Amino acid sequence: MTELWSPGFITCITALLAAGLPYLLRSIVLMCLPLLGLAWVFLTPLGIYGQFEYGGLSLALVRLDEWSRIFTIVFLIASFLSVVYSLHIKKSLEAVAGVIYAGAGVGAVLAGDYLTLFVFCEITAISSLFLIWANPGSASFRAGLRYVLIQLFSGALLLVGGALVFKETGQILFDRLDLNSLAGVFVFFALGIKAAFPFLHNWLQDAYPEATPSGTVFLSAFTTKLAIYALGRTFSGNDYLIWIGAAMTAFPIFYAVIENDLRRVLAYSLNNQLGFMVVGIGIGSELAMNGAAAHAFSHILYKGLLFMSMGAVLHRVGTCKGSELGGLYKSMPWTTGFCIVGAASISAFPLFSGFVTKSMILTAAGYEGHIFVWLVLLFASAGVFHHSGIKIPYFAFFGHDSGKRCDEAPLNMLIAMGVSALLCIGIGIFPNDFYTLLPFTVDYQPYTGWHVLSQLQLLLFSALAFSVLMWHKIYPPELRSTNIDFDITYRKWLPNLVNGIVSVFHRAAITMRPITSSLRHQSLQFLKIFQPGGGLAKTPPTGAVALWVTGLLGLYLILNLIMSKV
């Protein structure tokens, strides 16, 4: 049936069926699915496929164009690497849920209408939940509940937005929107939740660190980058996104610097990097859009590599707390090396992927005259080098020796990290080959003398600042603590407020109980006059009736006199 032809749909169904297969056969099937998807992407001409009418709606399951193609490619690569990384797990839940999650992400990127987008987004929300719940414990269970509620709420906003698009235009084509329309507002906030806009971001830091080591690798790749893709499809060139993105790059730095859980540090760092992409989409020029797509591509790889390295540490040592780690380079040299590659990539060292992608966004901001935003991005670039480029490898593998000794990561983890590291280096060394995948024609050379020199100066002085702070013991120490973020409003303050209001009403009800009881008794006594034999059933005396009539007539005359004067 051609109307069901979608790589995302086929991946989800096949992965679900593979759950009942033996471990070896299941692993082969799950690894082959993204490889077959990549073959489909490179062999299929650009165009719209799977079009059909349903209930008066024109649906398009697959829209393969320059913008969706690059996201589809990197989603499939990330899916394959994540499956390889999780091969040591014999149970089917994580791998199957992860591949369904990845397949739904691919389906959403290729969606040509809002109904198809909504369906696949809901599948991503539900399937990714099991990557969090696969980690036993009450903390992961509660985090998973909060995560899925927020994601389903985002999906509900998206559905309402799609319905309003149909009301306004008579079709549900997933295309450009305007914030002047109510449909645009609903879709904007739906995507803002998934992209972790400021004040809407805490589901990310809440849920990702609670997932399993393999689950976090899957989670880091799809939901937020799906939102970046959708923002580029619907709101490119919107000035609001420039300022939102700039804020996203800056505020997570302060949380990441003081955070003790290194996977939570990476979650804040993920927020920071998303901000660069949002700025690029907000600028909306061809260079900026190329930069957003390129940075999303490289970010999925190097952020996945960093989460892989921390997942390997958690798998072998049982913790990712900076205060409990250190000296692991002696036990895990390969993992240490791969982590350093990821750190160099996210820090935009020359010859690594971040250098040739992030700079496109910075250059676009300068070209378009956004000088203040450019300065914020420059500050954010220095900050990310501190908390991800230095802090992650330093406190995990070097720093003080914790005395922990363990085996190197399992072979499948090392293979996944090794391939990711090679891709990070390959993009950095051969940027022009990588640029051919971008949606617009590229007229940009990252390796100019000025760019290389200025970036090396930025990294040098950032490293110097870190060294001075550490030497003088000013750098925030790794402490066993919980940092307060905006999620305290709905995790603590809002429940306390609701409980307080309920308590006030409960105490008021107890206080008023004697009064209400007395009023109820008096009301019952009064109502007895309406019963047979009651006061109203008796024949009143003639004099009393005359008195009542005289009183009512007098009241009528007084009111009539007043109204006539008015």
Side-chain angles (χ1 to χ4, degrees):
M1 298 176 65
T2 57
E3 66 269 19
L4 296 180
W5 172 242
S6 168
F9 176 81
I10 292 174
T11 297
C12 292
I13 295 299
T14 308
L16 186 61
L17 295 175
L21 297 176
Y23 163 74
L24 182 59
L25 184 57
R26 180 180 70 242
S27 300
I28 294 172
V29 169
L30 296 181
M31 284 191 294
C32 287
L33 284 173
L35 297 178
L36 292 173
L38 283 171
W40 178 88
V41 171
F42 286 109
L43 294 175
T44 303
L46 301 183
I48 299 177
Y49 304 93
Q51 293 179 285
F52 65 101
E53 296 287 330
Y54 178 77
L57 301 176
S58 297
L59 305 181
L61 296 188
V62 175
R63 175 176 50 189
L64 184 64
D65 58 14
E66 292 84 353
W67 184 248
S68 62
R69 180 179 59 185
I70 186 170
F71 283 88
T72 302
I73 290 171
V74 72
F75 276 18
L76 292 168
I77 293 173
S79 176
F80 174 77
L81 293 174
S82 300
V83 171
V84 173
Y85 184 81
S86 63
L87 284 177
H88 62 284
I89 302 172
K90 302 299 182 182
K91 294 182 179 179
S92 63
L93 176 62
E94 283 185 57
V96 170
V99 174
I100 293 174
Y101 176 40
V106 169
V109 163
L110 292 173
D113 62 84
Y114 278 102
L115 181 58
T116 303
L117 176 67
F118 166 76
V119 170
F120 279 117
C121 283
E122 296 304 279
I123 296 174
T124 63
I126 295 170
S127 57
S128 57
L129 171 64
F130 292 97
L131 299 172
I132 303 169
W133 279 354
N135 189 21
S138 59
S140 59
F141 180 76
R142 292 194 300 269
L145 281 179
R146 291 189 292 268
Y147 169 83
V148 76
L149 287 174
I150 291 171
Q151 294 302 315
L152 292 178
F153 176 66
S154 170
L157 292 178
L158 183 63
L159 182 62
V160 173
L164 291 172
V165 169
F166 179 73
K167 180 181 178 182
E168 295 171 3
T169 66
Q171 57 184 359
I172 55 171
L173 180 65
F174 177 33
D175 214 335
R176 186 168 182 80
L177 289 173
D178 195 323
L179 281 178
N180 292 327
S181 68
L182 188 59
V185 172
F186 271 92
V187 174
F188 186 80
F189 277 100
L191 300 179
I193 291 173
K194 291 187 182 298
F197 281 0
F199 305 116
L200 305 175
H201 67 282
N202 287 116
W203 62 267
L204 198 158
Q205 291 79 25
D206 180 24
Y208 283 19
E210 297 298 337
T212 63
S214 302
T216 306
V217 176
F218 276 105
L219 289 168
S220 68
F222 301 110
T223 298
T224 51
K225 262 61 74 183
L226 169 59
I228 295 297
Y229 162 81
L231 285 170
R233 176 71 71 186
T234 50
F235 297 106
S236 62
N238 189 298
D239 288 343
Y240 288 116
L241 290 176
I242 299 176
W243 300 106
I244 291 173
M248 290 173 69
T249 64
F251 84 85
I253 293 172
F254 303 99
Y255 285 101
V257 166
I258 62 176
E259 180 59 57
N260 184 34
D261 187 325
L262 298 184
R263 291 207 297 173
R264 202 173 297 275
V265 171
L266 290 176
Y268 277 113
S269 173
L270 200 158
N271 243 135
N272 162 276
Q273 297 296 289
L274 290 170
F276 283 91
M277 305 169 211
V278 172
V279 168
I281 292 170
I283 294 171
S285 65
E286 289 190 358
L287 177 60
M289 295 295 286
N290 275 340
H295 200 52
F297 192 107
S298 65
H299 175 262
I300 287 175
L301 296 175
Y302 64 64
K303 183 63 69 175
L305 177 56
L306 289 168
F307 272 116
M308 286 179 191
S309 62
M310 290 302 99
V313 169
L314 180 62
H315 177 72
R316 287 305 193 198
V317 181
T319 182
C320 267
K321 307 290 186 183
S323 57
E324 301 172 12
L325 297 175
L328 288 180
Y329 75 94
K330 300 175 182 178
S331 301
M332 308 178 75
W334 284 101
T335 303
T336 303
F338 294 140
C339 181
I340 291 173
V341 171
S345 298
I346 196 173
S347 304
F349 267 90
L351 303 181
F352 293 88
S353 58
F355 180 81
V356 304
T357 60
K358 185 189 297 182
S359 59
M360 299 176 77
I361 300 172
L362 284 161
T363 303
Y367 281 172
E368 300 299 323
H370 300 287
I371 303 303
F372 178 76
V373 172
W374 182 83
L375 291 173
V376 172
L377 299 184
L378 203 64
F379 165 76
S381 298
V384 76
F385 178 49
H386 265 262
H387 63 68
S388 289
I390 299 177
K391 178 174 181 174
I392 294 293
Y394 179 79
F395 285 107
F397 300 103
F398 302 100
H400 69 280
D401 192 340
S402 63
K404 291 182 170 63
R405 297 294 178 263
C406 61
D407 295 331
E408 180 57 277
L411 179 61
N412 63 291
M413 285 187 170
L414 293 177
I415 292 173
M417 287 189 282
V419 174
S420 300
L422 287 175
L423 289 172
C424 290
I425 296 170
I427 292 172
I429 295 177
F430 305 106
N432 291 329
D433 295 326
F434 170 64
Y435 289 163
T436 60
L437 297 174
L438 298 180
F440 302 102
T441 302
V442 179
D443 182 19
Y444 176 74
Q445 290 297 328
Y447 287 106
T448 62
W450 180 87
H451 181 211
V452 172
L453 182 61
S454 61
Q455 184 65 15
L456 288 176
Q457 286 177 335
L458 176 71
L459 296 171
L460 174 63
F461 282 104
S462 296
L464 181 62
F466 179 84
S467 302
V468 170
L469 292 174
M470 289 296 295
W471 180 267
H472 291 283
K473 302 185 184 301
I474 301 175
Y475 193 86
E478 303 306 293
L479 300 175
R480 297 179 178 88
S481 60
T482 301
N483 297 317
I484 297 176
D485 201 345
F486 186 74
D487 59 335
I488 196 173
T489 57
Y490 61 82
R491 294 180 64 173
K492 187 173 181 180
W493 293 347
L494 185 59
N496 288 346
L497 176 63
V498 172
N499 290 335
I501 293 173
V502 171
S503 177
V504 168
F505 276 102
H506 180 67
R507 288 197 297 269
I510 294 175
T511 303
M512 295 293 292
R513 189 173 297 166
I515 300 174
T516 56
S517 178
S518 175
L519 288 174
R520 185 171 63 252
H521 176 72
Q522 293 178 16
S523 299
L524 291 174
Q525 291 297 114
F526 172 76
L527 291 175
K528 288 181 179 180
I529 66 174
F530 296 98
Q531 296 176 352
L536 292 180
K538 298 177 181 179
T539 302
T542 304
V545 172
L547 183 63
W548 276 102
V549 170
T550 303
L552 290 173
L553 179 61
L555 179 62
Y556 170 77
L557 292 173
I558 293 171
L559 291 175
N560 186 56
L561 179 63
I562 293 172
M563 295 302 295
S564 64
K565 296 296 183 181
V566 174

